[in-house]
Amino acid sequence: MRTTLKDVAKLAGVNFTLVSKYLNNNQQARMTKETRERIDRALRELQYRPSSIARSLRNGCSHTVGLVSGGLTNPYNAHIANLALKIFSQHGYQLLIALCEDKNVDAALNSLCDRDMDGIFVSAGLNADALPTGCPVQGCDNPEPVMQSVCLKLDQSLDEALCVLPGRVIGLFFHPSSWQGAFLAAAERSGRVADCECRDLDLERDLRRDEIRNVCRNRPDSILTSGWETMQMLQELCDSEFPDYHPHLLLHANCRGSFLNAPGIVGVIYSSTSSLIKVSCLHLIERIKSKGIGQTPPPPPLPTCFIPSDSEKYRKLVATHFELT
Amino acid sequence: MRTTLKDVAKLAGVNFTLVSKYLNNNQQARMTKETRERIDRALRELQYRPSSIARSLRNGCSHTVGLVSGGLTNPYNAHIANLALKIFSQHGYQLLIALCEDKNVDAALNSLCDRDMDGIFVSAGLNADALPTGCPVQGCDNPEPVMQSVCLKLDQSLDEALCVLPGRVIGLFFHPSSWQGAFLAAAERSGRVADCECRDLDLERDLRRDEIRNVCRNRPDSILTSGWETMQMLQELCDSEFPDYHPHLLLHANCRGSFLNAPGIVGVIYSSTSSLIKVSCLHLIERIKSKGIGQTPPPPPLPTCFIPSDSEKYRKLVATHFELT
DNA sequence: CTGTTAGCGCGTTCAT
DNA sequence: ATGAACGCGCTAACAG
């Protein structure tokens, strides 16, 4: 049997609500020093642990947020989950992870709603059709209007990047993300719409590979990829199947490491996934706390920067072990 | 405001306990077909979602299990967490992950106990000093007596392995795991206690590296390592700092991949981490369900097998992309 | 300063 | 077949 407030109260010889007060109002709960001590002693003697469930029921919030994530076998997803876990726990929230198969976010979202979440965080690259009402849902780098998201501010970086990418350039991006829109807009600004093409990458490894192969067959002068995995695949493919094809490469680097030294890379657009996640998590916490009190204005997009491969900054980025940032 | 049973009942024109019955006793709740339909309609119209918190309070169990895990940035931990997530959710349990810094498992364990877990799963390589009472705690491959665990059955594999490892052999293992004990016992059986030495690996990358370097300085004829990361480090070190040192290598492979083709490897002791986790998770679920009814007998140790590098089996293991198994 | 009371949403008797 | 009452453990408003 579980030890409850009443057990503690009985042992201390007081009413159980007094114990409750002692627990919650520790500072300003004014009572005899003597009773305070008696309660304290009983508390320790019985090793009392408040029932978080009863508290949740009473207080109307569970201090739990859900995370919709792709498989943790993917290091990118794992990195995000790991960080979210830390941030939320630092702020007194527990994190419940709901894995979503393929892109079936709605099922995961629903399963979380059945569990009385205070809020839901949707990992990068995922998008839902409809949002279950009831608690704030926070996406990240998701420009679709379905849920609130902190996005990447890419315009300036892309303008600079396009200057060093000659000829026809194909952009390979995951969906949803800020990249598609920003890339097309940058193409417009630079007057190279005819040269710029955008393709969506699939989450599944094999399909992704196929798409990259298609691009190689197309032989654009430049390729702009999203993430280090895509870049690796691309280079493997070029080595094995297109040994005489050497496009100009630019990638979205949310990581550091010596692999950035690979030939053909003319630069990166750098952004820290950790920052993005952090800002997003904190904003979700804000939204949870201000529930009903007032709307929390969405945070500004996260700045990124273009780093050409012949710069000092780039050398620093390269001179480390591989790690997601 | 949240829609409750009472709201549904009001709309359906019945008492709210009837709705409850309809929801839980779905099969034997005998009522007029007509009321049944009315309830059903109201249920859908209001999009009613039962409060899992209230249910938990009432039923005395939260259908939640905790997972104490190291950082998900480590692919091994991520692999375990990912699998545990799937298994538990398949069986109707949600998983709450508590990250533990360094080896401070007790803190993580305690934080989980404050959250009314039905059970707690402690990831591989982690051990606690004392166990918080109140719910079953399940380790995995943890031979320490602190918590119940499914371990690896290594004796036969190690006997075979020792036959192909000449001279002085050093075993490098994480702690806690079945390896230390099994290795020493095998040394005893083979009459080579004097030749066999056991060293514990640290979780932190740099310290681990240092220890491996120490071993290389020692120049044993054979090295038995635990896991692919250790093997990689070892090979990197040999290449860069001990180019003329070429020990016989045997590793605990819980993975496949072409990297097993590395020179010096004379074989692996193969085991599937997935199987270990699966068995452990299912056993924890058993223990949770049989709470008080009767003790659940611990499952038998998980078999492993020795695969020499000149076998057909080995070739198959090697001929794939890297993946944890 | 301390005790009484009500109710969070739900499931389970026990009456009707 | 349906409804009333009770309690899971806790907090907050109100009395004494």
Side-chain angles (χ1 to χ4, degrees):
Chain A
M1 281 285 76
R2 146 165 226 129
T3 68
T4 79
L5 272 186
K6 285 178 186 164
D7 299 324
V8 178
K10 201 186 300 173
L11 181 62
V14 296
N15 185 282
F16 76 100
T17 62
L18 247 193
V19 183
S20 172
K21 258 177 205 150
Y22 173 80
L23 253 33
N24 299 307
N25 279 333
N26 218 336
Q27 46 266 40
Q28 64 160 315
R30 293 194 305 195
M31 44 188 110
T32 319
K33 196 149 200 166
E34 192 221 321
T35 42
R36 188 186 299 273
E37 279 165 4
R38 290 228 309 272
I39 291 178
D40 199 64
R41 194 144 26 86
L43 239 27
R44 264 201 306 274
E45 189 162 331
L46 266 48
Q47 305 215 58
Y48 171 73
R49 289 180 186 273
S51 153
S52 70
I53 291 184
R55 277 191 159 150
S56 297
L57 181 58
R58 181 63 242 239
N59 295 335
C61 68
S62 59
H63 281 267
T64 306
V65 331
L67 168 68
V68 180
S69 169
L72 302 181
T73 280
N74 177 327
Y76 183 60
N77 293 335
H79 181 240
I80 294 180
N82 193 55
L83 194 57
L85 225 30
K86 280 187 192 170
I87 294 174
F88 284 119
S89 91
Q90 272 170 13
H91 289 259
Y93 289 86
Q94 43 187 328
L95 187 70
L96 215 59
I97 301 181
L99 254 33
C100 72
E101 316 286 333
D102 303 317
K103 285 236 174 190
N104 193 1
V105 178
D106 294 85
L109 227 36
N110 265 309
S111 86
L112 284 176
C113 279
D114 285 340
R115 305 294 198 165
D116 296 309
M117 300 292 113
D118 288 349
I120 296 181
F121 189 81
V122 177
S123 191
L126 262 23
N127 200 32
D129 289 336
L131 249 35
T133 156
C135 70
V137 178
Q138 178 82 27
C140 74
D141 195 30
N142 183 344
E144 308 288 332
V146 195
M147 55 184 111
Q148 208 175 116
S149 267
V150 183
C151 284
L152 256 35
K153 178 172 166 45
L154 292 168
D155 41 3
Q156 194 180 332
S157 299
L158 275 169
D159 286 344
E160 298 178 35
L162 276 184
C163 293
V164 302
L165 290 179
R168 209 155 47 80
V169 25
I170 290 191
L172 289 171
F173 310 118
F174 290 104
H175 182 82
S177 83
S178 308
W179 287 87
Q180 284 86 351
F183 179 59
L184 260 26
E188 196 103 29
R189 282 194 299 275
S190 69
R192 292 168 67 188
V193 261
D195 282 347
C196 292
E197 189 184 336
C198 206
R199 302 217 184 160
D200 277 358
L201 250 21
D202 203 281
L203 284 177
E204 246 184 280
R205 212 183 155 80
D206 289 337
L207 295 176
R208 223 151 78 207
R209 210 181 180 75
D210 290 342
E211 181 62 11
I212 298 177
R213 185 178 287 115
N214 280 337
V215 170
C216 286
R217 289 212 185 93
N218 197 300
R219 297 193 171 241
D221 304 286
S222 308
I223 299 182
L224 171 49
T225 77
S226 130
W228 85 103
E229 280 186 321
T230 312
M231 177 58 75
Q232 277 187 341
M233 277 194 186
L234 177 60
Q235 287 173 330
E236 276 177 31
L237 268 170
C238 282
D239 282 354
S240 60
E241 303 182 23
F242 307 88
D244 58 336
Y245 172 49
H246 302 291
H248 291 73
L249 300 176
L250 185 92
L251 80 155
H252 170 212
N254 44 14
C255 54
R256 348 168 153 266
S258 53
F259 86 103
L260 288 171
N261 256 330
I265 302 187
V266 299
V268 300
I269 291 182
Y270 180 81
S271 81
S272 156
T273 299
S274 299
S275 300
L276 180 64
I277 302 306
K278 200 165 185 175
V279 173
S280 301
C281 288
L282 293 180
H283 184 241
L284 178 54
I285 293 178
E286 275 316 301
R287 289 172 66 192
I288 292 175
K289 286 188 175 164
S290 78
K291 185 82 164 196
I293 302 177
Q295 304 306 329
T296 312
L302 207 76
T304 65
C305 66
F306 170 66
I307 310 181
S309 58
D310 55 5
S311 64
E312 181 55 32
K313 238 181 169 177
Y314 197 83
R315 264 183 289 280
K316 279 185 185 164
L317 212 60
V318 168
T320 50
H321 276 324
F322 176 82
E323 68 172 350
L324 262 32
T325 60
Chain B
M1 280 285 78
R2 145 164 226 130
T3 69
T4 80
L5 273 185
K6 285 178 186 164
D7 299 324
V8 178
K10 201 186 298 173
L11 182 61
V14 296
N15 184 282
F16 77 100
T17 65
L18 248 191
V19 183
S20 172
K21 262 175 201 152
Y22 175 81
L23 253 33
N24 301 302
N25 280 335
N26 226 333
Q27 49 265 37
Q28 65 158 315
R30 294 193 304 195
M31 44 189 111
T32 318
K33 196 148 200 167
E34 190 221 322
T35 41
R36 188 185 300 274
E37 279 164 4
R38 289 231 308 273
I39 292 178
D40 199 64
R41 194 144 27 87
L43 240 26
R44 262 201 306 274
E45 189 163 330
L46 266 48
Q47 304 214 59
Y48 171 72
R49 290 180 185 272
S51 153
S52 69
I53 291 184
R55 268 174 140 106
S56 296
L57 182 59
R58 182 64 243 246
N59 296 334
C61 68
S62 59
H63 280 268
T64 306
V65 329
L67 168 67
V68 180
S69 169
L72 301 181
T73 280
N74 176 327
Y76 184 60
N77 293 335
H79 181 241
I80 294 180
N82 193 54
L83 193 56
L85 225 30
K86 280 188 190 169
I87 295 174
F88 283 119
S89 91
Q90 270 170 15
H91 289 258
Y93 289 86
Q94 43 187 331
L95 188 69
L96 214 59
I97 300 183
L99 254 32
C100 70
E101 315 286 333
D102 303 316
K103 284 237 174 189
N104 192 2
V105 178
D106 294 84
L109 226 35
N110 265 308
S111 86
L112 284 176
C113 278
D114 285 339
R115 304 293 197 167
D116 296 310
M117 299 291 114
D118 287 349
I120 296 180
F121 189 81
V122 177
S123 191
L126 263 23
N127 201 31
D129 291 335
L131 248 35
T133 157
C135 73
V137 177
Q138 178 82 27
C140 76
D141 196 30
N142 183 344
E144 309 288 331
V146 195
M147 55 184 110
Q148 209 176 114
S149 267
V150 183
C151 285
L152 256 33
K153 178 171 166 48
L154 292 169
D155 41 2
Q156 194 180 332
S157 298
L158 275 169
D159 287 344
E160 298 177 36
L162 276 183
C163 292
V164 301
L165 290 180
R168 208 156 46 83
V169 25
I170 290 190
L172 289 172
F173 309 118
F174 290 104
H175 182 82
S177 84
S178 308
W179 287 88
Q180 285 86 352
F183 179 59
L184 262 24
E188 196 102 30
R189 282 195 299 277
S190 69
R192 293 168 67 187
V193 261
D195 282 348
C196 293
E197 190 184 337
C198 207
R199 302 216 184 161
D200 278 358
L201 250 23
D202 203 283
L203 284 178
E204 247 184 280
R205 210 181 157 81
D206 290 336
L207 295 175
R208 223 152 78 207
R209 209 180 181 75
D210 291 341
E211 180 62 11
I212 298 177
R213 185 179 286 116
N214 281 337
V215 170
C216 286
R217 291 213 184 93
N218 196 300
R219 295 192 173 243
D221 305 286
S222 307
I223 299 181
L224 172 48
T225 77
S226 131
W228 86 102
E229 279 186 320
T230 313
M231 176 59 75
Q232 277 187 340
M233 277 194 185
L234 177 60
Q235 288 173 330
E236 276 177 31
L237 268 170
C238 282
D239 283 352
S240 60
E241 303 182 25
F242 306 87
D244 58 336
Y245 171 50
H246 302 291
H248 290 73
L249 300 176
L250 186 92
L251 80 154
H252 171 213
N254 44 13
C255 55
R256 346 168 155 267
S258 53
F259 86 103
L260 288 172
N261 256 331
I265 302 185
V266 299
V268 299
I269 292 182
Y270 179 82
S271 81
S272 157
T273 299
S274 299
S275 301
L276 180 64
I277 302 306
K278 200 165 185 176
V279 173
S280 302
C281 289
L282 293 180
H283 185 240
L284 177 54
I285 293 177
E286 276 315 302
R287 289 173 68 192
I288 291 174
K289 285 188 175 165
S290 77
K291 185 82 165 195
I293 302 178
Q295 304 305 330
T296 312
L302 207 75
T304 66
C305 67
F306 170 66
I307 310 182
S309 58
D310 55 6
S311 64
E312 181 55 31
K313 239 180 169 176
Y314 196 84
R315 264 181 291 279
K316 279 186 188 166
L317 212 58
V318 168
T320 50
H321 276 324
F322 177 82
E323 69 172 349
L324 263 30
T325 60

